[in-house]
Amino acid sequence: MNRTAPPFRPRPAPARSDPIPSSSPAFGTPVIPVRPQKSVQALKPSILPVQLPPATLRPLAFRTFTKKHNLTLTSSALQTFATFIGKHCGAAWREDGLAERILDDIAKNWKKNGGGVIVPGEGEDLKNILRNIESSLSEGRPAPKNVLNRQGSFVFGAQSLRDESITPGELSGVLSREDSQSSLGLSTLEVDDDDDDNDNDQTRDPRRWLKIIGAFEQPRLLYNSTQKHFELIGRPPSLLPDPGQKTYLFRHRYNIIHQRLLRNESFQISTVGSSRTSTLQRSSSIMTTAQQAYKLTPIANLLGRSGSNHLLLGLLTLSPTGMLTIGDLTGSIALDIRHARPVPEGGAWFTPGMVVLVDGIYEEEGSAVGPALGGDAGIGGTIGGRFIGFSVGGPPCERRDVTLGVGNHGAGNLSTGAGFGWVDFLGVGSERGSGTKMRRLEQRTLKRASVQKSTEGRGRVVIMGEVDLASANVLQALKKILGLYAAEPSDQSPMIVVLMGNFAKYAVMAGGGGSGSIEYKEYFDSLATVLSDYPFILQSATFIFVPGDNDPWASAFSAGAATTLPRANIPDIFTSRVKRAFAAANAEADRLKDKMVEGEAIWSTNPARLTLFGPAQEVVLFRDDLTGRLLRNSITFQPLDGEAPSATATETPNSTIALTDSLPAEESRGIDIDTTVTTVEAHLPAAKTRDNSDQTITRDLVAARRLVKTILDQGYLSPFPLSVRPVLWDYAGALQLYPLPSALVLMDPEAPAFAITYEGCHVMNPGPLVTDKRRGVAQWMEYDARTRRGKTREIRF
């Protein structure tokens, strides 16, 4: 037999219709061919459909959609789900938990596709979701997320290992990267590979994700108390709107605070019986009971309930006869505070125009309590009689993560309860839509450092207040501060410099001792000369200018009085020289830094909002004389018998007071006591720091805490009557502090410089740049965007 190989190989035989896998070791198949077998299609077990009434499914659907996913079901949607589950799950929809899993998948797909808060029964979106879930059902059960079907790849399950004869070694070779990360719990990080590859100079500059939102550019949202969500106002804004818009100012503020209270633990009625003795528990900002909840009473419901105790939520106002009244959406009533005490004692301001909680007794008298206009008879929505208050306090504040419903409450559990995480409050994206991605980007870009390494990286914001450009000392102090930062390395220079007014000591173009338009332009020309000496700062930082009441054009008709809020930016006619200084500095920049963001000067409104990395971080900038206005309009409470008059904010800064937790029993009966303000974190200059071991703190810190608690509890930057502080009705939403920002800059020249954290919001007051009390010393605030904390800095010039 000839064993010599032929010169040409024979022509290969045609492939069979059912080819046998190769015996190559790369395929891991046996050498002996496997006899092909006819595929036998497994019979799907039949599920007997049942008729499921919607009322039976309602509790489970409410718990899944409303409680877990914050969605609202309509009657038609509930009927559709009942028919779908009864058809595909049968009688085992409750015992095996099939219905809950299907409803949970429907809710997740609905939110993933960008559905609204209300889930309607009609519409192609819901039908497509149901079709996709129906195709993935197996025996009434949704298919596992990490299991692939047999048509496209292997089935990675215990049964598939037995059927397909796949060894564990072979299984590890076909596992994808996504599956391996899921097994290790890394898939929840959602780290994009593209972000790591694009970590260049463009992404290293945090100013690329900086956005300044003016008061007139902010989305105008209105809270719908019926549907429990925010709606975008479609009507175009106007400086002279209809008179009815004035009513919506109070209605919108009241609805926001009212829903905020109802979601507070102290105002939620427990479904568990209160047979056991209630015990007091201290939370972060309130004193609550474990088995009891406070109940708000509408003012209109006081009629016929004389002598009973009630808790009211309403707006403090002054009637035409000069009496103090409290009103809500149902009516108003005369308020008697002769025996009332503030809660906490000396911890907050109370003025007309604020929404407060008052605990007391309704008393129906036969004689009039006020002169004329009906007295206690009740006219124009006023309830007859009077309400005798025992304790007065502000509504409890709500943390930002609680408002957005995305807070991390221990053990890595992400809260998905009632919140507004899908609402885009500032036009930069919602928290749940882009918050996770932007927060990862923030951490990688800023390289969030510890307190010991706070000087590394570019994450600092320099804030200077009351920059009076007409003063030679202020210009000299600016040179000293800019020279200090210009000497730092380029990778450690500040990314933002905020200059807040007033930029003139007296009202411009108002006559009297104020300057005119020509002098005011010369002020900014002098500023441009100073800035031109430090081109590196102009190239690498963003300058933000926030005007005050003495700056044009509003100062032309206010003559130094309170102008309307919000107020527009400084006109471009006065700032052209400063803009040319930035253009010249950017033109001289190194061409190797073309990928970096150029420095610029932004002339913003008052108030203004600064966002870093979308919804990840928000900073509010506001300039106003809040302390003086609160002192002039605050309500004075009479001291108790045998008690010395309470200290006022007009005492000397060097005086000290002691804070104790001992309060009368009647104070804690009708309202929560907020003690967080006594444990906030403060950063004061070293010369003013004292030892707090004996519970004594400086008077400046007490005044700062009092101011911070008042503004944040109200959730509004100007809680005064419109006659005291005018507000543009259609733009009043720009003054809302809901949700709470990450940081708030309250530039108040009459208050001491402070940096305080209250309910997760860091509040700062840089104070005047130069004061007459401390000559030759300049002070400013330095905010670190990585640690989200600020500190007061001083330098001699």
Side-chain angles (χ1 to χ4, degrees), residues 492-572:
Q492 298 182 11
S493 61
M495 61 176 179
I496 302 173
V497 177
V498 180
L499 300 179
M500 307 184 71
N502 296 310
F503 296 105
K505 186 175 182 180
Y506 303 102
V508 180
M509 295 181 295
S515 57
S517 58
I518 298 178
E519 292 82 358
Y520 190 75
K521 188 178 187 307
E522 292 176 352
Y523 297 160
F524 282 97
D525 292 346
S526 302
L527 175 63
T529 303
V530 174
L531 296 178
S532 300
D533 296 338
Y534 307 95
F536 174 74
I537 299 295
L538 303 186
Q539 298 167 6
S540 60
T542 298
F543 281 68
I544 303 174
F545 296 83
V546 180
D549 291 340
N550 292 343
D551 298 312
W553 298 112
S555 61
F557 59 86
S558 65
T563 59
T564 55
L565 288 177
R567 60 147 299 166
N569 56 352
I570 299 176
D572 296 339

Side-chain angles (χ1 to χ4, degrees), residues 712-785:
L712 294 190
D713 284 353
Q714 292 296 316
Y716 198 68
L717 289 174
S718 181
F720 304 101
L722 297 182
S723 59
V724 176
R725 186 58 159 166
V727 175
L728 297 177
W729 300 344
D730 275 359
Y731 296 99
L735 304 179
Q736 290 285 349
L737 294 177
Y738 190 82
L740 284 182
S742 306
L744 170 63
V745 180
L746 287 177
M747 174 50 212
D748 187 356
E750 301 179 4
F754 61 83
I756 293 177
T757 302
Y758 176 60
E759 290 293 351
C761 178
H762 194 66
V763 186
M764 298 166 286
N765 179 24
L769 181 62
V770 177
T771 60
D772 296 335
K773 297 180 180 179
R774 305 181 64 188
R775 294 186 177 181
V777 177
Q779 64 176 4
W780 73 98
M781 188 67 61
E782 190 176 274
Y783 174 74
D784 195 337

Side-chain angles (χ1 to χ4, degrees), residues 538 577-589 598-599:
L538 303 186
R577 182 78 176 271
V578 177
K579 293 180 180 179
R580 288 200 299 267
F582 277 85
N586 292 325
E588 298 175 359
E598 293 184 350

Side-chain angles (χ1 to χ4, degrees), residues 62 89 101 105 110 134-135 137 143 162 165 201 245 252 264 302 330 367 417 426 452 460 496 507 510 535 635 654 721:
F62 177 79
C89 297
R101 295 179 57 185
D105 289 345
W110 176 264
E134 182 180 3
S135 62
L137 290 178
R162 292 193 298 267
S165 301
D201 291 340
Q245 299 301 319
H252 183 56
N264 191 286
L302 295 177
T330 63
S367 59
L426 300 177
Q452 291 79 7
R460 290 178 296 170
I496 302 173
I635 297 174
N654 295 329

Side-chain angles (χ1 to χ4, degrees), residues 461-734:
V461 180
V462 178
I463 306 171
M464 290 176 278
E466 203 68 13
V467 184
D468 183 9
L469 300 179
S471 173
N473 292 333
V474 171
L475 296 178
Q476 188 176 358
L478 276 175
K479 292 181 180 180
K480 190 70 174 181
I481 295 174
L482 294 177
L484 176 66
Y485 289 110
E488 296 180 349
S490 59
D491 58 344
Q492 298 182 11
S493 61
M495 61 176 179
I496 302 173
V497 177
V498 180
L499 300 179
M500 307 184 71
N502 296 310
F503 296 105
K505 186 175 182 180
Y506 303 102
V508 180
M509 295 181 295
S515 57
S517 58
I518 298 178
E519 292 82 358
Y520 190 75
K521 188 178 187 307
E522 292 176 352
Y523 297 160
F524 282 97
D525 292 346
S526 302
L527 175 63
T529 303
V530 174
L531 296 178
S532 300
D533 296 338
Y534 307 95
F536 174 74
I537 299 295
L538 303 186
Q539 298 167 6
S540 60
T542 298
F543 281 68
I544 303 174
F545 296 83
V546 180
D549 291 340
N550 292 343
D551 298 312
W553 298 112
S555 61
F557 59 86
S558 65
T563 59
T564 55
L565 288 177
R567 60 147 299 166
N569 56 352
I570 299 176
D572 296 339
I573 190 175
F574 302 106
T575 61
S576 58
R577 182 78 176 271
V578 177
K579 293 180 180 179
R580 288 200 299 267
F582 277 85
N586 292 325
E588 298 175 359
D590 189 359
R591 291 295 92 190
L592 297 178
K593 298 181 180 180
D594 288 342
K595 295 183 179 180
M596 305 298 291
V597 179
E598 293 184 350
E600 60 177 338
I602 299 177
W603 307 89
S604 184
T605 60
N606 184 28
R609 296 177 187 264
L610 182 154
T611 61
L612 273 174
F613 302 96
Q617 192 167 168
E618 174 188 353
V619 180
V620 177
L621 308 174
F622 184 54
R623 165 63 174 89
D624 194 15
D625 301 332
L626 289 173
T627 302
R629 192 170 290 109
L630 288 170
L631 284 171
R632 293 190 298 268
N633 299 276
S634 63
I635 297 174
T636 303
F637 294 91
Q638 297 182 1
L640 299 176
D641 296 338
E643 182 184 2
S646 59
T648 61
T650 58
E651 294 183 3
T652 59
N654 295 329
S655 61
T656 59
I657 63 173
L659 296 182
T660 61
D661 292 334
S662 58
L663 292 175
E666 59 268 21
E667 297 181 12
S668 60
R669 179 179 57 184
I671 200 168
D672 300 332
I673 301 175
D674 197 333
T675 57
T676 307
V677 76
T678 62
T679 58
V680 292
E681 178 184 358
H683 300 275
L684 295 178
K688 295 185 179 181
T689 304
R690 288 173 174 261
D691 186 10
N692 298 339
S693 59
D694 56 349
Q695 290 186 334
T696 59
I697 52 182
T698 63
R699 186 62 212 174
D700 288 349
L701 188 55
V702 172
R705 291 173 173 175
R706 193 175 186 181
L707 175 63
V708 169
K709 177 174 171 56
T710 301
I711 299 300
L712 294 190
D713 284 353
Q714 292 296 316
Y716 198 68
L717 289 174
S718 181
F720 304 101
L722 297 182
S723 59
V724 176
R725 186 58 159 166
V727 175
L728 297 177
W729 300 344
D730 275 359
Y731 296 99

Side-chain angles (χ1 to χ4, degrees), residues 400 404 406 431 434-445 448 613 615-617 788:
R400 178 181 177 87
L404 300 178
V406 293
E431 176 64 33
S434 58
T436 303
K437 180 179 179 180
M438 299 307 295
R439 198 168 287 107
R440 292 199 315 269
L441 187 61
E442 175 192 16
Q443 185 176 4
R444 183 172 62 252
T445 304
R448 201 179 285 268
F613 302 96
Q617 192 167 168
R788 301 190 180 184

Side-chain angles (χ1 to χ4, degrees), residues 261-407:
L261 281 181
L262 295 183
R263 295 196 295 117
N264 191 286
E265 295 179 357
S266 300
F267 293 84
Q268 294 179 356
I269 300 177
S270 177
T271 57
V272 183
S274 58
S275 57
R276 290 178 290 181
T277 305
S278 61
T279 58
L280 291 176
Q281 296 179 348
R282 283 188 180 272
S283 62
S284 61
S285 63
I286 55 177
M287 179 181 291
T288 63
T289 60
Q291 299 295 333
Q292 293 182 350
Y294 298 121
K295 182 179 180 181
L296 299 175
T297 303
I299 293 179
N301 293 358
L302 295 177
L303 291 175
R305 305 172 70 178
S306 179
S308 55
N309 186 277
H310 301 278
L311 180 62
L312 304 182
L313 174 69
L315 181 73
L316 290 179
T317 56
L318 291 176
S319 66
T321 58
M323 290 190 308
L324 184 65
T325 61
I326 182 172
D328 60 8
L329 300 181
T330 63
S332 60
I333 188 174
L335 181 61
D336 185 359
I337 59 171
R338 290 178 295 179
H339 307 285
R341 305 303 306 159
V343 178
E345 191 77 28
W349 296 99
F350 299 100
T351 66
M354 292 185 179
V355 180
V356 297
L357 285 167
V358 181
D359 176 63
I361 295 178
Y362 171 62
E363 184 176 288
E364 200 169 26
E365 294 182 352
S367 59
V369 298
L373 293 182
D376 64 346
I379 61 172
T382 302
I383 306 302
R386 61 175 179 174
F387 191 79
I388 304 176
F390 294 147
S391 57
V392 180
C397 190
E398 187 177 73
R399 298 178 64 91
R400 178 181 177 87
D401 53 357
V402 176
T403 302
L404 300 178
V406 293

